Amino acid sequence: MNVLIILALVLVAVAATVVVWTENPQRQAVTLGVYGALLSPLFLVLGAPDVALSQIAVGTAVVPLMVLLAVRSVRRRRRS
């Protein structure tokens, strides 16, 4: 079990670093979704299946979608 926790923590740390170093906001939203998807197994391994399900719904789908919509809105306003 400890190996799974360590593996999940390493994957989450690598994904978080990729999110931070991504400069394009649209790509950053996609990597944020991947980061959210990698957090879910970590929560599951740590014994919080309810938090893992919430993370799948919110962190993998809703937040990246909101970021993409915000970027789109800002770019439209800059054009006009």
Side-chain angles (χ1 to χ4, degrees):
M1 188 63 116
N2 289 334
V3 176
L4 287 176
I5 293 172
I6 292 171
L7 179 64
L9 284 172
V10 168
L11 287 173
V12 167
V14 168
T17 305
V18 170
V19 171
V20 170
W21 286 102
T22 304
E23 293 181 8
N24 185 347
Q26 293 163 331
R27 288 185 180 176
Q28 192 173 33
V30 172
T31 57
L32 183 63
V34 172
Y35 172 71
L38 288 174
L39 274 175
S40 297
L42 175 64
F43 292 143
L44 195 60
V45 169
L46 292 175
D50 53 339
V51 178
L53 286 172
S54 299
Q55 180 63 32
I56 289 172
V58 175
T60 304
V62 176
V63 172
L65 179 63
M66 289 176 61
V67 170
L68 285 173
L69 290 174
V71 168
R72 181 178 165 193
S73 175
V74 168
R75 287 189 177 167
R76 278 188 178 175
R77 288 186 183 189
R78 284 186 181 176
R79 287 182 193 161
S80 55

